[in-house]
Amino acid sequence: MTRLSFIVGVVGNIISVLLFLSPVGTFRRILRNRSTEEFESLPYICTLLNSALWTYYGVTKPGSFLVATVNGFGVVVEMIYVTLFLIFAPPTMRVKTGMLFALLDVGFPAATVLATQLILKGDLRIDVIGFLCAGLNIVMYGSPLAAMKTVVTTKSVEYMPFLLSFFVFLNGVVWTFYAVLVEDYFLGVPNGIGFLLGTAQLLLYAIYSRRQRPSKASSHDLEDEWQRERLISSSSTNLEEKNEV
């Protein structure tokens, strides 16, 4: 069982790495244009917070090395994304990004580590960190809901790339299976929700891709536009959920 859980965890790490790298095309565009245009930084800031807390959870809970490693990678990648926002964003967005980064990615994790280390001990410390991570993960998985609404409204899958939806589905499946093997409900609940949302995205893709008329835009342009809408919509969602974070 231990060997199986390790293999599943490694597969989960690989899929999670691909998800962390999925916005690379967007940031190549930012570098090429030397501007963040209308893209929002908040989703990346929240993902950085999510990865940082999961890394802390993986380090704190015995036997969760695989959780710590992949999210440690996520911290590095998201730091690069946020840094690019700080460099190429317009002055107003740069100030906003800097303030959110200081509050959510420096202040909140620091307060969490201090509070859990000084006040809590043993299993209670792990449980509190796990609850925080699970809540943030559910918010992260909820961001594609805006894209799904767009698909239903427009009856087109132009703004919901198949590969990204497929990897969201795979990520939910693998990490839910891993959570069952290691009996970790904090991993299982949010990734189970991710599995259901990923399944819904694939079903929508199967339904509406048959009705979609050929588009003149390139697949790269379509992915950029979908990413733009996802980021703007998810940033609004995350702002509404900020108190829960």
Side-chain angles (χ1 to χ4, degrees):
M1 183 67 72
T2 302
R3 183 177 179 181
L4 176 60
S5 64
F6 178 79
I7 294 172
V8 173
V10 170
V11 173
N13 274 17
I14 294 171
I15 296 171
S16 294
V17 165
L18 293 174
L19 274 177
F20 281 128
L21 295 177
S22 63
V24 164
T26 298
F27 282 91
R28 286 176 60 189
R29 170 174 169 171
I30 289 173
L31 284 170
R32 184 173 64 249
N33 297 334
R34 304 188 67 80
S35 171
T36 58
E37 302 174 38
E38 297 179 19
F39 291 108
E40 286 282 348
S41 60
L42 186 59
Y44 301 106
I45 289 172
C46 290
T47 303
L48 175 56
L49 171 61
N50 188 55
S51 298
L53 290 182
W54 274 116
T55 302
Y56 180 43
Y57 176 81
V59 171
T60 304
K61 182 177 180 179
S64 297
F65 175 75
L66 291 173
V67 176
T69 53
V70 70
N71 283 285
F73 174 81
V75 168
V76 173
V77 172
E78 299 300 327
M79 277 290 296
I80 294 173
Y81 294 158
V82 173
T83 300
L84 290 176
F85 260 95
L86 291 172
I87 294 173
F88 295 111
T92 303
M93 175 60 71
R94 188 178 299 126
V95 171
K96 175 185 173 182
T97 300
M99 292 176 63
L100 288 172
F101 174 76
L103 177 64
L104 297 179
D105 295 330
V106 178
F108 189 83
T112 300
V113 172
L114 286 174
T116 53
Q117 290 295 325
L118 296 177
I119 300 174
L120 306 175
K121 296 184 182 297
D123 290 342
L124 181 59
R125 176 188 297 162
I126 295 172
D127 289 346
V128 169
I129 301 169
F131 274 116
L132 287 173
C133 292
L136 283 170
N137 227 29
I138 290 172
V139 172
M140 296 296 105
Y141 270 128
S143 62
L145 289 173
M148 294 169 66
K149 179 181 178 181
T150 301
V151 170
V152 174
T153 301
T154 64
K155 302 187 185 306
S156 169
V157 295
E158 283 186 340
Y159 303 117
M160 192 174 70
F162 172 77
L163 284 179
L164 187 56
S165 299
F166 182 63
F167 280 122
V168 167
F169 167 78
L170 280 183
N171 194 65
V173 169
V174 173
W175 282 112
T176 300
F177 185 35
Y178 176 83
V180 171
L181 292 175
V182 299
E183 299 181 353
D184 190 326
Y185 299 107
F186 295 121
L187 275 174
V189 171
N191 284 291
I193 293 173
F195 159 68
L196 294 176
L197 289 174
T199 302
Q201 289 181 59
L202 292 180
L203 287 174
L204 284 179
Y205 197 94
I207 293 169
Y208 290 106
S209 61
R210 298 176 182 178
R211 307 178 186 179
Q212 183 174 333
R213 294 160 61 181
S215 173
K216 297 180 181 179
S218 67
S219 59
H220 177 73
D221 290 338
L222 291 176
E223 183 167 351
D224 280 347
E225 291 300 321
W226 183 86
Q227 182 75 2
R228 181 195 299 271
E229 179 157 342
R230 183 176 74 92
L231 293 181
I232 293 173
S233 299
S234 62
S235 68
S236 299
T237 301
N238 286 328
L239 281 171
E240 293 172 1
E241 297 290 319
K242 188 170 66 174
N243 291 332
E244 293 182 14
V245 175

